């Protein structure tokens, strides 16, 4: 494909030269006439070549630089090389029988912003973040076929307004799966459906956190898992020998999906409680009933609106933590997690200090997690390293 020259504002020149591949919404002098998927040669005002990439509008920006070398063509071979390198980087995961679900290709972290690939046993899931990258779909799939064997490919098109999911039959190629399938993560079974809306049943970026909960924190503990979705953290806790788990999520689907995840691990349901309700309502109930937990897990979405509540992680995390603190035993653990990309670990810790200060509770940070290695991110783009998880011990 022929490339089109575009000029960047001088403000963005330095960032691009320093290796930031994301083209900000305001980065280009003009975008008129550019079509999604257009290969662009990004130049400075003084006509210096800065990089080659593509135009594609996503909520983060309007395109990605893919190479700083003017002689590199963006073609099937280019995609194949990046995919091969990404697969090689994960060979340690590929060889494990204990873990069969992980991220195979992480967008800009693996050299091409705009799409990711996850594997779930021998099924692949591609998530597309702009119409622009979607125009390369056939090329990318052909390249993928040259790198790896698979039963089938599914996709999530995440380029509706504000990056939301486009409802569709998500099957792309291969032999349709008989979903749900059971994948393994560090020996724990999880149920996954690649063709049931925006989410598949598990968030793979929390693998290390689930393992820590099982191996180091859960034994003999009463665990509260809020925003529990399919109960993945609860299952990890139960596998680690928790005394009880309580999973709270307001989505109706969470009950059957959580039960299923317990059952496929042969966990006795007797001490696993599932509450389908608003977390903020549950906190009030727990305080009234004087319930106290040894461990409280907080993993809210960055933004959520329920009937009574709007929750924005960037604004409301301290208040959420305060609620959790009030129902955690002394010396108990709070797992504070957020996937919000608009603030970093330092700011997140600020929210934590704020929550504890005002309550006059003391705490200590016992462990921290960010993205696992298969969710490769680049330092130049802070928001690509979005996951922040802090294990806190409450002291009196
Ligand atoms: N912690 C989960 C992922 C959370 S996804 C895991 O590790 O798998 C976010 C979940 O929060 C969704 O399932 C959504 O239904 C739920 N949710 C959003 N707002 C909520 C609220 N106010 N109360 C309870 N659940 C809520």
């Amino acid at each position: 494909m022929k490339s089109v020259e575009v000029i960047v504002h001088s403000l963005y020149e330095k960032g691009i030269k320093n290796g930031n591949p994301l083209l900000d919404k305001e980065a280009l002098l003009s975008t008129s006439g550019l079509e999604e998927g257009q290969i662009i040669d990004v130049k400075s005002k003084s006509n210096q070549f800065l990089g080659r990439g593509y135009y594609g509008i996503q909520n983060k920006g309007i395109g990605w630089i893919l190479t700083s070398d003017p002689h590199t063509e963006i073609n099937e071979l280019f995609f194949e090389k990046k995919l091969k390198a990404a697969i090689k980087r994960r060979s340690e995961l590929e060889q494990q029988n204990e873990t069969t679900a992980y991220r195979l290709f992480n967008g800009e972290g693996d050299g091409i912003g705009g799409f990711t690939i996850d594997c779930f046993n021998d099924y692949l899931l591609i998530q597309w973040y702009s119409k622009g990258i979607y125009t390369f779909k056939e090329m990318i799939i052909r390249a993928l076929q040259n790198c790896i064997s698979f039963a089938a490919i599914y996709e999530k098109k995440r380029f509706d307004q504000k990056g939301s999911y486009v409802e569709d039959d998500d099957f792309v190629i291969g032999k349709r799966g008989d979903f749900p399938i059971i994948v393994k993560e560090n020996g724990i079974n999880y149920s996954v459906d690649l063709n049931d809306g925006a989410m598949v049943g598990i968030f793979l970026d929390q693998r290390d956190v689930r393992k820590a909960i099982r191996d180091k924190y859960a034994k003999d503990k009463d665990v509260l898992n809020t925003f529990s979705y399919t109960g993945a953290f609860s299952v990890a806790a139960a596998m680690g020998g928790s005394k009880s788990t309580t999973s709270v999520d307001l989505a109706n689907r969470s009950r059957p999906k959580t039960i299923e995840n317990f059952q496929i691990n042969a966990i006795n349901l007797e001490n696993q409680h599932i509450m389908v309700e608003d977390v903020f309502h549950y906190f009030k109930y727990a305080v009234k009933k004087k319930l106290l937990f040894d461990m409280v897990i907080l993993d809210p979405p960055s933004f959520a609106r329920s009937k009574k509540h709007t929750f924005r992680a960037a604004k409301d995390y301290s208040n959420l933590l305060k609620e959790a603190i009030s129902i955690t035993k002394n010396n108990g653990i709070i797992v504070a997690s957020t996937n919000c990309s608009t603030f970093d670990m330092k700011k997140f810790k600020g929210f934590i200090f704020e929550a504890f200060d005002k309550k006059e509770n003391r705490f200590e940070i016992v462990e921290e997690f960010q993205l696992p290695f298969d969710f490769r991110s680049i330092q130049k783009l802070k928001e690509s390293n979005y996951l922040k998880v802090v294990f806190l011990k409450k002291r009196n």
Side-chain angles (χ1 to χ4, degrees), residues 16-246:
I16 294 173
K17 280 186 186 158
N18 281 339
N20 179 358
L22 179 62
L23 290 172
D24 197 79
K25 281 197 176 64
E26 280 86 40
L28 301 182
L29 284 189
S30 164
T31 56
S32 74
L34 287 182
E35 282 182 18
E36 293 269 349
Q38 172 70 54
I39 303 279
I40 49 179
D41 282 351
V42 180
K43 295 200 155 178
S44 71
K45 277 184 179 163
S46 56
N47 206 32
Q48 184 188 2
F49 178 90
L50 300 174
R52 179 167 293 149
Y54 71 91
Y55 181 69
I57 300 173
Q58 60 179 76
N59 58 354
K60 279 180 188 167
I62 55 166
W64 294 92
I65 291 179
L66 306 181
T67 175
S68 56
D69 172 14
H71 305 295
T72 298
E73 297 292 329
I74 310 304
N75 53 21
E76 192 177 316
L77 189 64
F78 175 84
F79 287 113
E80 197 178 308
K81 277 188 186 156
K82 297 283 181 196
L83 289 168
K84 278 211 171 112
I87 292 167
K88 197 166 165 215
R89 275 184 203 114
R90 284 134 178 108
S91 58
E92 160 195 332
L93 278 167
E94 201 232 316
Q95 284 153 15
Q96 275 186 30
N97 298 328
E98 292 285 275
T99 298
T100 63
Y102 54 90
R103 179 143 295 187
L104 199 64
F105 187 90
N106 198 37
E108 66 275 15
D110 285 298
I112 309 171
F115 78 108
T116 62
I117 309 174
D118 295 328
C119 65
F120 297 92
N121 300 349
D122 45 1
Y123 294 93
L124 299 179
L125 176 71
I126 309 183
Q127 311 205 57
W128 311 100
Y129 289 90
S130 71
K131 287 182 184 146
I133 193 68
Y134 197 67
T135 64
F136 297 100
K137 172 174 166 176
E138 288 188 5
M139 207 188 268
I140 291 174
I141 288 175
R142 273 199 310 273
L144 200 50
Q145 283 169 321
N146 292 337
C147 302
I148 193 172
S149 59
F150 51 80
I153 296 179
Y154 284 77
E155 69 181 357
K156 303 287 170 201
K157 288 174 273 180
R158 299 198 182 275
F159 46 68
D160 228 2
Q161 277 144 8
K162 285 206 166 162
S164 58
Y165 165 73
V166 182
E167 197 67 51
D168 207 346
D169 174 7
D170 289 338
F171 172 74
V172 180
I173 188 174
K175 190 174 177 304
R176 274 181 187 268
D178 190 8
F179 297 116
I181 54 166
I182 296 174
V183 301
K184 268 194 191 301
E185 184 193 81
N186 291 310
I188 304 180
N189 293 327
Y190 291 103
S191 171
V192 163
D193 189 336
L194 298 184
N195 207 357
D196 184 26
M199 303 194 284
V200 303
I202 186 160
F203 290 98
L204 297 177
D205 53 2
Q206 298 275 15
R207 180 178 66 242
D208 295 343
V209 180
R210 284 187 284 266
K211 184 173 192 303
I213 288 174
R214 179 191 64 188
D215 294 350
K216 294 193 269 184
Y217 294 93
K219 186 126 188 67
D220 300 326
K221 297 290 163 40
D222 289 314
V223 178
L224 174 65
N225 179 13
T226 63
F227 306 94
S228 59
Y229 182 41
T230 58
F233 286 129
S234 310
V235 171
M239 293 300 277
S242 59
K243 201 197 293 170
S244 74
T245 64
T246 302

Side-chain angles (χ1 to χ4, degrees), residues 154-373:
Y154 284 77
E155 69 181 357
K156 303 287 170 201
K157 288 174 273 180
R158 299 198 182 275
F159 46 68
D160 228 2
Q161 277 144 8
K162 285 206 166 162
S164 58
Y165 165 73
V166 182
E167 197 67 51
D168 207 346
D169 174 7
D170 289 338
F171 172 74
V172 180
I173 188 174
K175 190 174 177 304
R176 274 181 187 268
D178 190 8
F179 297 116
I181 54 166
I182 296 174
V183 301
K184 268 194 191 301
E185 184 193 81
N186 291 310
I188 304 180
N189 293 327
Y190 291 103
S191 171
V192 163
D193 189 336
L194 298 184
N195 207 357
D196 184 26
M199 303 194 284
V200 303
I202 186 160
F203 290 98
L204 297 177
D205 53 2
Q206 298 275 15
R207 180 178 66 242
D208 295 343
V209 180
R210 284 187 284 266
K211 184 173 192 303
I213 288 174
R214 179 191 64 188
D215 294 350
K216 294 193 269 184
Y217 294 93
K219 186 126 188 67
D220 300 326
K221 297 290 163 40
D222 289 314
V223 178
L224 174 65
N225 179 13
T226 63
F227 306 94
S228 59
Y229 182 41
T230 58
F233 286 129
S234 310
V235 171
M239 293 300 277
S242 59
K243 201 197 293 170
S244 74
T245 64
T246 302
S247 305
V248 186
D249 195 295
L250 52 68
N252 284 323
R253 61 166 187 242
S254 68
R255 186 188 298 279
K257 300 239 178 197
T258 303
I259 290 175
E260 187 186 353
N261 273 331
F262 282 127
Q263 284 176 334
I264 59 178
N265 288 287
I267 294 165
N268 187 338
L269 290 176
E270 200 180 331
N271 296 317
Q272 324 307 335
H273 315 292
I274 301 168
M275 324 292 278
V276 178
E277 66 173 290
D278 194 313
V279 162
F280 298 97
H281 181 260
Y282 182 81
F283 281 132
K284 293 207 168 52
Y285 162 86
V287 169
K288 207 164 91 197
K289 293 275 176 187
K290 299 197 165 64
L291 300 183
L292 284 175
F293 294 89
D294 301 297
M295 176 147 102
V296 177
I297 300 166
L298 300 173
D299 181 34
S302 299
F303 176 83
R305 186 176 282 146
S306 63
K307 277 189 199 122
K308 294 207 182 118
H309 243 97
T310 301
F311 175 83
R312 285 183 187 83
K315 218 172 108 265
D316 304 318
Y317 211 105
S318 302
N319 286 334
L320 176 67
L321 259 171
K322 280 183 218 166
E323 306 256 24
I325 293 165
S326 66
I327 58 168
T328 304
K329 287 182 195 163
N330 284 332
N331 297 318
I333 296 285
I334 297 173
V335 181
S337 168
T338 180
N339 62 2
C340 187
S341 62
T342 60
F343 55 85
D344 62 5
M345 184 59 114
K346 192 165 169 226
K347 185 139 185 223
F348 188 42
K349 285 185 183 161
F351 296 155
I352 295 170
F353 278 100
E354 198 183 317
F356 275 94
D357 267 343
K358 295 204 175 124
K359 282 232 137 210
E360 291 174 5
N361 284 308
R362 290 189 301 135
F363 73 100
E364 100 195 31
I365 292 177
V366 277
E367 198 165 2
E368 289 173 30
F369 291 87
Q370 295 210 258
L371 288 170
F373 88 92

